Amino acid sequence: QVRLQESGPGLVKPSQTLSLTCTVSGGDITSTGYAWSWIRQAPGKGLEWMALVAYGGDTYYSPRLVSRTQISRETSKNQFSLRMTSVTPEDTAVYYCARYGTTGEFDYWGQGTQVTVSS
């Protein structure tokens, strides 16, 4: 059973940098065919895909967020992370990490972590 667990600060001040980490167990983030992603959901809005790191290390970003986000991974810890700069209150959301599986779907999700941007 693959499990993902997000961790990070619950509160970030405007203009600061948000850093989140996803710890994966029960699966290897370098396993061929899989990719690992960050997705968020702001209050009253739908899911927004943010970024993805593939098993080989290639990264992909939402065009809307590419200038402010960076996804990275630490294979020795089986973790991947998201860094978002210059946050605003509009970045307030529940942030999820998820696995993109070989069926072309996000098949495993973390429980989500609430991030609030406020002074």
Side-chain angles (χ1 to χ4, degrees):
Q1 179 78 3
V2 177
R3 294 182 180 178
L4 297 91
Q5 179 66 58
E6 304 91 349
S7 59
L11 180 65
V12 184
K13 295 185 186 306
S15 81
Q16 290 189 340
T17 296
L18 168 65
S19 294
L20 298 171
T21 296
C22 183
T23 301
V24 179
S25 59
D28 190 328
I29 64 172
T30 64
S31 293
T32 300
Y34 295 99
W36 307 86
S37 194
W38 287 98
I39 299 164
R40 68 180 181 179
Q41 186 168 29
K45 297 188 178 181
L47 294 170
E48 179 183 21
W49 174 77
M50 302 178 69
L52 178 148
V53 56
Y55 65 94
D58 290 342
T59 57
Y60 302 87
Y61 295 92
S62 164
R64 200 175 82 84
L65 299 172
V66 63
S67 64
R68 298 196 292 129
T69 54
Q70 181 179 26
I71 191 170
S72 60
R73 65 179 188 173
E74 179 59 66
T75 57
S76 64
K77 296 181 179 180
N78 216 35
Q79 294 176 334
F80 63 104
S81 298
L82 179 77
R83 186 172 179 269
M84 174 178 281
T85 61
S86 304
V87 297
T88 73
E90 290 187 349
D91 295 311
T92 294
V94 178
Y95 286 74
Y96 298 93
C97 57
R99 188 182 81 166
Y100 189 75
T102 57
T103 58
E105 298 176 332
F106 291 104
D107 54 4
Y108 288 97
W109 294 68
Q111 64 183 19
T113 187
Q114 173 70 47
V115 175
T116 300
V117 180
S118 174
S119 56

